[in-house]
Amino acid sequence: MTNTQVTHVQIDNYGPWTVTPEPRREVDLQTLQSRLYADLSQLVGNRGGYVFFSRFDNMVAVTNGLTVDDHALIQESVGNRYPVTMSLSVATGTTPAEALGTATEQLQEAGSAQDKSRREILRGRAIEEEYRTGEDLQIAHFDVVNATGKYTDELNEFDTFIEIEQGYAELMRYMRQAYDSLSFFVGGDNIIAVCSAMDAEDYRDAVAHVSDAVDVELQVGVGRGAVAHEAGMAAKHALEECRATGEEVHVDWSTTDAEPPA
Amino acid sequence: MTNTQVTHVQIDNYGPWTVTPEPRREVDLQTLQSRLYADLSQLVGNRGGYVFFSRFDNMVAVTNGLTVDDHALIQESVGNRYPVTMSLSVATGTTPAEALGTATEQLQEAGSAQDKSRREILRGRAIEEEYRTGEDLQIAHFDVVNATGKYTDELNEFDTFIEIEQGYAELMRYMRQAYDSLSFFVGGDNIIAVCSAMDAEDYRDAVAHVSDAVDVELQVGVGRGAVAHEAGMAAKHALEECRATGEEVHVDWSTTDAEPPA
Amino acid sequence: MTNTQVTHVQIDNYGPWTVTPEPRREVDLQTLQSRLYADLSQLVGNRGGYVFFSRFDNMVAVTNGLTVDDHALIQESVGNRYPVTMSLSVATGTTPAEALGTATEQLQEAGSAQDKSRREILRGRAIEEEYRTGEDLQIAHFDVVNATGKYTDELNEFDTFIEIEQGYAELMRYMRQAYDSLSFFVGGDNIIAVCSAMDAEDYRDAVAHVSDAVDVELQVGVGRGAVAHEAGMAAKHALEECRATGEEVHVDWSTTDAEPPA
Amino acid sequence: MTNTQVTHVQIDNYGPWTVTPEPRREVDLQTLQSRLYADLSQLVGNRGGYVFFSRFDNMVAVTNGLTVDDHALIQESVGNRYPVTMSLSVATGTTPAEALGTATEQLQEAGSAQDKSRREILRGRAIEEEYRTGEDLQIAHFDVVNATGKYTDELNEFDTFIEIEQGYAELMRYMRQAYDSLSFFVGGDNIIAVCSAMDAEDYRDAVAHVSDAVDVELQVGVGRGAVAHEAGMAAKHALEECRATGEEVHVDWSTTDAEPPA
C-alpha cells in the first residue's frame, strides 16, 4: 500500500488573465509559467517534495512531508512575487489517482478555475506525522532505451520528439487506467511516475504495453521512500542499474526508514 | 509559401551530466531546465522570435529576424550563467519541418548530442534581410473548445491532462505528417503550430482528424507575419474570434508589412 | 543578550572566474549574482532566515533555525544550477559581529577566497534546538524620514542615491563599531540591521549620530524573535508605528515564543 | 565630449505596495527586486546597454543604442510578469549627470514616485542614429588594489565590507561633484562609472582623493565605445592591464568605430 499526499496547484483565473485586456505576448506567458514552475520546484523540493509542470496552469505536486503551513507559506510567497495567484488543494489516498481526485474535488467545490472571485484557496489536510512511513511513496523513473543513438542523433528533432511524445501519451494513459498511477514527462526522454503499490510484474506489463501500442521501448527504475526525493532518488539509482545491465525493470524495495527532512 | 527560419537548440552532453558523478536532485534539474527555457524565451522573444520547450534538453526556436550574431550572443550569455552549455543550429526551408531537418542535420554532423568534446556549436545561416517578407511565417494557435467547463471544472486534474495530452499527441503527429508543420503544447489547453502554407480547409481537416481520432474538439486561429511574434499575435486575435463566434477555424491573412523589430 | 547564528556565504574563486579566459560580459555577471542572491533569499527565507547581498560574491545570512543539513542542501542545489560553487561557514555569538568573525575565520582557515582547489567548504555548527529561545534575534528596520518627498521627487536620482548611500555608509560603520551590529542596505531607503542587545536609547544614539555626521534623518522599528523572519516582521510593524506617529524609534519587545518554523 | 543616453527606471508606487495591506515578507521583496534587476540586465544588456541596481526601486541604465520602442517592449514585458509596473524616462546629455537630471525631471513632471495613478510612464527621446558615434560613452571600471589579500582573507566579512563601502561612498560622491560622472558598486570590490570626458589625470585625481579621504586604494581601467558593453569591455581589459603592471590608471582611447549591435 502507498500513502501518497498530492497537491493540486491551480493558477487562479489564468486563462482570462492571459487575454485581458488583450492577448499578452506569448514569450512573456511562457517565461511566467516556466519560472513559476521553477520556483515551486525549489520551494517544494527543498522540503523533499516534487512538482510536475503538467499543464503549467494546473500542476500536480507530491507533497508528503509538507504541512498545510508549508503550503500557506509557498502560496504567500508566490502571491508576493507574481502578477497571478494560485490555489492549493492537498489530499491523501491509497493510490495517487485517488488522492488527486480528492484534491481536485476540493478545489472544484471552492469554485471554477475561471471564477474571478475565487483566489488563493487553500484546502485539505496533510498526513499526520504519526501515520507517515518510509514506504508511503513509490516512484518509477522511465526512460527510452538508447534514445540518443536511436533517435536524437538520427532523426530531425521533431521526429524524435514525436516518438517520445507518443510513448509518453500511451504510458500516461495506461498507467492511469490500469494502475491508478500518475506519469509525467520531465524532459529529454524521461518520465517520472508516482505509483500505487505496483510490483515488478506490473511495470513489465506497462513497458510491454507501450512497446506493443506505439513501438517505443522503455526501461524503468523503481524506488520507495517517505518523501518524493527519497523515492525518486532510489528510482534514479535503479534506472542506472537498467542502463548498466540492460534490465528492463529494476526495483529497489529497500527503504531507509530515515526520518523525512524537517 | 512560407520561409521559416528554425533554430535547433541542444544542451551539450546533458544526459550524462545529469547523472555525473551520480544522479542529481530531480528538482534542481527541473529548475535548471525551466529557467533556461524562460531565459531563452526572453532573449529570443525580445527579438521577435519564439522558443518552444519541447524536450527541454532539445528545444526548437522560430528565429526569423535573428542574425547569427544574435545567436552567438545568446549562446555566450547562457554559457556565462549556467553549469551547462548549448549548441545552436540555424536553418531555413519552405516548410518548418524541412528547415528543422536541415538544422538538426548540421548539428548531427558536428557530433553526437552526448559527445563530451562537442560544445557550443554554432552552425547555419540566417535569412538575408533582402529576402525577408511579411508573409514568411504562418502560425496557428489551437485550443480545446470549452476546456474549463468540460474538463478542468469536471474531471480530476490528471484525467483532464490525459484528454489534452491525447489531443496534442494526435495533432502534433498529424500536422507533421500531413502538412510538414510543427506543433507545440504551450500550457493550459493551448497548442501553437509553426506551419507551412496551409489554408483554412487544411486547418479544418486537422481539427476534424483530431476529433475523429481521439474525440477532442479543437478550434484554431491563424496569422501571418515577418517574425514569430507578429504571426503569433495575429493568430491569438484570430482565436479570440473563434471564442467569440464559435467558428472552428479563423484565419487572418492580412499582413502588416511592418518592418521586423530591430 | 542575543544569540545570532550567522552564515558567511562565499562564491568560490569568483574573481578569477569572472576574467577567465577573458573578462565576461558584465550584464551576465550582474544577472548571475543577483539571481544567486534571489535564490538564496528564497531557500534561506523559506526556513525563516534572511540573506543580505552585501558584496554579492560574499554574502551574510542570519540562519537561526537552519541546521547544517539545511545548509548542505542549499549548497548542493546551487552547485547543481550555477556555473560557480559556494562555500558556507556557520557560527554563533552573543553579538552578530562576533558570530560573523568566527564564521569568516573558519572559512579563511579552509583557504583563500581565490584558492582554486578550495570548493564547497561547509564549516561550523548550528545552535542546538534546546538552546534556542524566542529572543535570540534582534532586528532593526531603518528608513529615511520622508525620503520620497524630500529626495526622490525633488533631486535627480543619483543625488537622491548619494544621500541614501552616505546615510548607509555612516550607519553601517557606526553600528558595527559602537554596537557590534551588522547593517545592510536592502533597497529604496531601507536598511536592516541584525543587532546585539541594544535598547531604545542605543537606537536613538545611532539615529542621532547619522543625523549629526551626514545630515540624513532616520527612523527605526525594532523587533525580536526566534528566527530572522519573526524579528524582522516585528521590526517592520514597529517601523509602521514610526511612520504613523512620527516617533523616531519604536521598539517592540514582545515575543511570540512561537516555535520556529520546521 | 561624451553623449550618454541614460534611462531612469522607477518601480511605480513601490514603497506603499511593500506594506499593503501589511508589510510583505522581506525575503520575497528581496527576491522580487533582485530578479527584476537581473531581467533588466538581460533585456537591456542584450541590446548593448547596462543597468545598475542602485536603490533597486529606482535604477539607472545606460541605454545608448536602445530606441524608445525597445524601452516600450521591456516595460510591457515586465508588466506582464511582475506584480508591479515600472516607469521609464530616457534622456541624453553631454555628461551622465546632466542626462540623468533631465530623465528624472521628466519622471517627476509625470507625478510622484508614490502616486497611485501614475503607472508605466514612458518619456523622453533616444539619440537619433545619425548623431551616434563610437565615442559617445566613456566607462571606467575601478577595483580595490589587492582586496582579497588585504581584506577578504584577513578581516571578518563585515569589516571588509565596511572598507569597500567607505571607498565606494567617497568615490561616488566625489565623481558626481567633481566630474558629473555616475559611479555604481557592482559587487565584490568593483565599481563601474559612467563618465564625462575625463582624462587620465582626472582619474588619478579621483583615486588619490579616495585614498586620502578614506584610505582605500583603487585602480581603474577606462574605455570608450558606442554602447555601454563596448566601452565597459574596453575598461575591463584596461583594468586587467593595471592588475598585470601595477599601473593605477590605464586608459584605452582606441575606439572600434564598430556599428552598434542592431
Side-chain angles (χ1 to χ4, degrees):
Chain A
M1 218 186 75
T2 58
N3 193 18
T4 311
Q5 180 179 309
V6 166
T7 302
H8 181 172
V9 179
Q10 187 171 82
I11 304 183
D12 296 317
N13 198 28
Y14 183 60
W17 181 86
T18 64
V19 293
T20 304
E22 49 179 335
R24 294 172 192 260
R25 295 174 63 85
E26 187 62 33
V27 291
D28 291 338
L29 300 179
Q30 293 301 311
T31 304
L32 170 65
Q33 293 170 11
S34 51
R35 286 192 177 161
L36 175 55
Y37 168 62
D39 269 4
L40 290 179
S41 276
Q42 286 298 304
L43 293 175
V44 170
N46 273 277
R47 293 173 169 90
Y50 272 9
V51 187
F52 299 102
F53 56 79
S54 37
R55 298 200 288 149
F56 285 101
D57 61 348
N58 284 269
M59 294 182 255
V60 175
V62 180
T63 55
N64 293 61
L66 279 81
T67 64
V68 171
D69 280 355
D70 290 333
H71 282 78
L73 180 58
I74 292 171
Q75 187 178 53
E76 180 186 346
S77 181
V78 166
N80 277 338
R81 298 184 289 112
Y82 285 87
V84 291
T85 55
M86 64 181 190
S87 288
L88 301 175
S89 178
V90 191
T92 312
T94 52
T95 69
E98 189 196 323
L100 181 60
T102 306
T104 299
E105 263 171 40
Q106 291 169 170
L107 210 49
Q108 287 164 344
E109 279 161 16
S112 166
Q114 297 195 354
D115 181 331
K116 270 186 188 179
S117 57
R118 198 216 68 183
R119 280 169 58 104
E120 298 198 315
I121 301 300
L122 176 54
R123 295 258 167 119
R125 297 203 305 179
I127 307 174
E128 303 275 336
E129 201 55 36
E130 61 191 291
Y131 297 117
R132 298 179 56 207
T133 78
E135 307 181 7
D136 282 351
L137 284 170
Q138 186 175 127
I139 285 185
H141 196 129
F142 294 84
D143 77 0
V144 174
V145 177
N146 191 24
T148 301
K150 199 167 161 194
Y151 302 117
T152 310
D153 288 350
E154 293 300 321
L155 305 182
N156 81 51
E157 177 52 25
F158 202 83
D159 291 339
T160 296
F161 185 34
I162 288 177
E163 296 293 327
I164 304 291
E165 180 64 24
Q166 305 303 315
Y168 172 56
E170 196 57 40
L171 181 70
M172 59 107 69
R173 185 171 55 179
Y174 188 73
M175 289 282 284
R176 162 71 178 98
Q177 290 168 353
Y179 299 107
D180 285 332
S181 299
L182 310 179
S183 309
F184 301 92
F185 176 64
V186 293
D189 60 337
N190 297 269
I191 297 162
I192 294 180
V194 189
C195 302
S196 59
M198 295 171 66
D199 60 24
E201 194 49 48
D202 296 333
Y203 287 107
R204 269 188 284 275
D205 168 59
V207 166
H209 173 85
V210 172
S211 176
D212 289 350
V214 295
D215 198 27
V216 173
E217 251 188 293
L218 300 173
Q219 54 194 346
V220 57
V222 187
R224 291 198 296 200
V227 297
H229 168 68
E230 207 176 290
M233 196 52 89
K236 280 169 181 272
H237 282 286
L239 181 60
E240 289 296 292
E241 284 298 307
C242 295
R243 286 168 180 158
T245 65
E247 266 181 293
E248 191 175 64
V249 175
H250 187 94
V251 297
D252 174 2
W253 288 150
S254 65
T255 55
T256 61
D257 277 323
E259 283 303 297
Chain B
M1 217 186 75
T2 57
N3 193 17
T4 310
Q5 179 178 311
V6 166
T7 303
H8 182 172
V9 179
Q10 187 172 81
I11 305 182
D12 296 317
N13 199 27
Y14 183 61
W17 182 86
T18 64
V19 293
T20 303
E22 49 179 336
R24 294 173 193 261
R25 294 175 64 85
E26 186 62 32
V27 291
D28 291 339
L29 299 179
Q30 293 301 311
T31 303
L32 170 64
Q33 293 170 10
S34 50
R35 287 193 177 161
L36 175 55
Y37 168 62
D39 269 5
L40 290 178
S41 275
Q42 286 299 303
L43 294 174
V44 169
N46 272 277
R47 292 171 170 92
Y50 272 9
V51 187
F52 300 101
F53 56 80
S54 38
R55 298 200 289 150
F56 285 100
D57 61 348
N58 286 269
M59 294 181 255
V60 175
V62 179
T63 55
N64 293 60
L66 278 82
T67 64
V68 170
D69 279 354
D70 290 334
H71 282 78
L73 180 58
I74 293 171
Q75 187 178 53
E76 180 186 346
S77 181
V78 166
N80 278 339
R81 299 184 288 112
Y82 285 87
V84 292
T85 56
M86 63 181 191
S87 288
L88 301 175
S89 178
V90 192
T92 312
T94 53
T95 70
E98 188 196 325
L100 181 61
T102 306
T104 299
E105 264 172 38
Q106 290 170 170
L107 209 48
Q108 288 164 345
E109 280 161 15
S112 167
Q114 297 195 354
D115 181 331
K116 272 185 188 180
S117 56
R118 197 216 68 182
R119 281 169 58 104
E120 298 197 317
I121 301 301
L122 177 55
R123 295 258 168 116
R125 297 202 307 178
I127 307 173
E128 304 275 338
E129 201 54 36
E130 61 192 290
Y131 297 116
R132 297 180 57 205
T133 78
E135 308 180 6
D136 282 351
L137 283 171
Q138 186 175 126
I139 285 185
H141 196 128
F142 295 84
D143 76 0
V144 174
V145 177
N146 191 24
T148 301
K150 198 166 163 195
Y151 301 118
T152 310
D153 287 349
E154 293 299 320
L155 305 182
N156 82 51
E157 176 53 25
F158 202 82
D159 291 339
T160 296
F161 186 34
I162 288 176
E163 295 294 326
I164 305 293
E165 181 64 24
Q166 305 304 316
Y168 172 56
E170 196 57 40
L171 181 70
M172 59 105 71
R173 184 172 55 180
Y174 187 73
M175 289 282 284
R176 162 71 178 98
Q177 290 169 353
Y179 299 107
D180 284 333
S181 300
L182 310 180
S183 310
F184 301 91
F185 177 63
V186 294
D189 60 337
N190 297 269
I191 297 162
I192 295 180
V194 190
C195 303
S196 59
M198 295 171 65
D199 60 23
E201 195 49 48
D202 296 333
Y203 288 106
R204 268 189 284 274
D205 168 58
V207 166
H209 174 85
V210 172
S211 175
D212 290 349
V214 294
D215 197 26
V216 173
E217 249 188 295
L218 300 172
Q219 54 193 345
V220 58
V222 187
R224 292 198 297 199
V227 298
H229 168 67
E230 207 175 289
M233 196 53 89
K236 280 170 180 274
H237 281 288
L239 181 59
E240 289 296 292
E241 284 299 307
C242 295
R243 285 169 180 156
T245 64
E247 266 182 292
E248 191 174 64
V249 174
H250 187 94
V251 297
D252 173 3
W253 289 148
S254 66
T255 55
T256 60
D257 276 324
E259 283 303 297
Chain C
M1 220 185 72
T2 57
N3 193 20
T4 311
Q5 179 178 310
V6 167
T7 302
H8 182 172
V9 179
Q10 187 172 80
I11 304 182
D12 297 317
N13 198 28
Y14 183 60
W17 182 86
T18 64
V19 293
T20 304
E22 51 179 334
R24 294 173 193 258
R25 295 175 63 86
E26 187 61 34
V27 291
D28 291 338
L29 300 179
Q30 293 301 311
T31 303
L32 170 64
Q33 292 171 11
S34 50
R35 287 192 178 162
L36 175 55
Y37 168 62
D39 268 4
L40 290 178
S41 275
Q42 286 298 305
L43 294 175
V44 170
N46 272 277
R47 292 171 170 91
Y50 271 11
V51 186
F52 300 102
F53 56 79
S54 39
R55 299 200 288 149
F56 285 100
D57 61 348
N58 285 267
M59 295 182 254
V60 176
V62 180
T63 54
N64 294 59
L66 278 81
T67 64
V68 171
D69 279 354
D70 291 333
H71 283 77
L73 179 58
I74 293 171
Q75 187 178 52
E76 179 186 346
S77 181
V78 166
N80 277 339
R81 298 185 288 112
Y82 285 87
V84 292
T85 56
M86 65 180 189
S87 287
L88 301 175
S89 178
V90 192
T92 312
T94 53
T95 70
E98 189 197 324
L100 182 60
T102 307
T104 300
E105 264 171 39
Q106 290 169 171
L107 210 49
Q108 288 165 344
E109 279 161 16
S112 166
Q114 298 194 355
D115 181 330
K116 270 185 189 179
S117 56
R118 198 217 67 182
R119 281 169 57 104
E120 297 197 317
I121 302 299
L122 176 55
R123 294 259 169 117
R125 295 203 308 178
I127 307 173
E128 304 274 338
E129 201 53 36
E130 61 191 292
Y131 296 117
R132 299 180 54 205
T133 78
E135 307 180 7
D136 282 350
L137 284 170
Q138 187 174 127
I139 285 185
H141 196 128
F142 294 84
D143 77 0
V144 175
V145 177
N146 191 23
T148 301
K150 200 167 163 196
Y151 301 117
T152 311
D153 288 348
E154 293 301 321
L155 305 182
N156 82 49
E157 176 53 24
F158 202 82
D159 291 339
T160 295
F161 185 35
I162 289 176
E163 294 295 326
I164 304 292
E165 181 65 24
Q166 305 302 316
Y168 172 56
E170 196 57 39
L171 180 70
M172 60 107 67
R173 184 172 55 180
Y174 187 73
M175 289 281 284
R176 162 71 178 97
Q177 289 168 354
Y179 299 108
D180 285 333
S181 300
L182 310 179
S183 309
F184 301 92
F185 176 64
V186 292
D189 61 337
N190 296 270
I191 298 164
I192 294 180
V194 189
C195 303
S196 61
M198 296 173 64
D199 61 22
E201 195 47 49
D202 296 333
Y203 287 106
R204 270 188 283 273
D205 168 59
V207 166
H209 173 85
V210 172
S211 176
D212 289 350
V214 295
D215 198 27
V216 173
E217 249 188 294
L218 300 173
Q219 55 194 345
V220 57
V222 187
R224 293 197 297 201
V227 298
H229 168 67
E230 207 175 289
M233 196 52 89
K236 280 170 181 272
H237 281 286
L239 182 58
E240 289 296 292
E241 285 298 307
C242 295
R243 287 169 180 156
T245 65
E247 267 181 291
E248 191 175 63
V249 175
H250 188 94
V251 297
D252 173 2
W253 290 150
S254 65
T255 54
T256 60
D257 277 323
E259 283 303 296
Chain D
M1 219 188 72
T2 58
N3 193 18
T4 310
Q5 179 178 310
V6 167
T7 302
H8 181 170
V9 179
Q10 187 171 81
I11 304 182
D12 296 317
N13 198 27
Y14 184 60
W17 181 85
T18 64
V19 293
T20 303
E22 51 179 333
R24 294 173 193 259
R25 294 174 64 86
E26 187 62 33
V27 291
D28 291 338
L29 300 178
Q30 293 300 310
T31 303
L32 170 65
Q33 292 171 10
S34 50
R35 286 192 178 162
L36 175 55
Y37 168 61
D39 268 4
L40 291 178
S41 276
Q42 286 299 304
L43 294 175
V44 170
N46 273 277
R47 292 173 170 90
Y50 271 9
V51 186
F52 299 102
F53 56 80
S54 38
R55 300 201 288 149
F56 286 100
D57 61 349
N58 285 268
M59 295 183 255
V60 175
V62 180
T63 54
N64 294 60
L66 279 81
T67 64
V68 172
D69 280 353
D70 290 334
H71 283 78
L73 180 58
I74 293 171
Q75 187 177 52
E76 179 186 346
S77 181
V78 166
N80 277 338
R81 298 184 289 110
Y82 284 87
V84 293
T85 55
M86 64 181 191
S87 288
L88 301 175
S89 178
V90 191
T92 311
T94 53
T95 69
E98 189 196 323
L100 181 61
T102 306
T104 298
E105 263 171 39
Q106 291 169 169
L107 210 49
Q108 287 164 345
E109 280 161 15
S112 167
Q114 298 194 354
D115 181 329
K116 269 185 189 179
S117 56
R118 198 216 67 182
R119 282 168 57 105
E120 297 198 315
I121 302 300
L122 177 55
R123 294 259 169 117
R125 297 203 307 179
I127 307 172
E128 303 274 336
E129 201 53 36
E130 61 191 293
Y131 297 116
R132 299 180 54 205
T133 79
E135 307 180 7
D136 283 350
L137 283 170
Q138 186 175 125
I139 285 185
H141 197 128
F142 295 84
D143 77 359
V144 175
V145 177
N146 191 23
T148 301
K150 200 167 162 194
Y151 301 117
T152 310
D153 287 349
E154 292 301 319
L155 305 181
N156 82 51
E157 176 53 24
F158 202 83
D159 291 339
T160 295
F161 184 35
I162 288 177
E163 295 294 327
I164 304 293
E165 180 65 24
Q166 305 302 316
Y168 172 56
E170 195 58 40
L171 181 70
M172 60 105 70
R173 185 171 54 180
Y174 188 73
M175 289 281 284
R176 162 69 179 99
Q177 290 168 355
Y179 299 108
D180 285 333
S181 300
L182 310 180
S183 310
F184 301 92
F185 176 64
V186 294
D189 60 337
N190 297 270
I191 297 163
I192 294 180
V194 189
C195 302
S196 61
M198 297 171 64
D199 62 22
E201 195 48 49
D202 296 333
Y203 288 106
R204 269 188 284 275
D205 168 59
V207 166
H209 173 85
V210 172
S211 175
D212 290 348
V214 295
D215 198 27
V216 173
E217 251 188 291
L218 300 172
Q219 55 194 344
V220 58
V222 187
R224 292 199 295 203
V227 297
H229 169 67
E230 206 175 290
M233 197 52 90
K236 280 170 181 272
H237 282 286
L239 181 59
E240 289 296 294
E241 284 299 308
C242 295
R243 286 170 180 157
T245 65
E247 266 182 293
E248 191 175 62
V249 174
H250 187 94
V251 297
D252 173 3
W253 289 149
S254 66
T255 54
T256 59
D257 277 325
E259 282 304 297

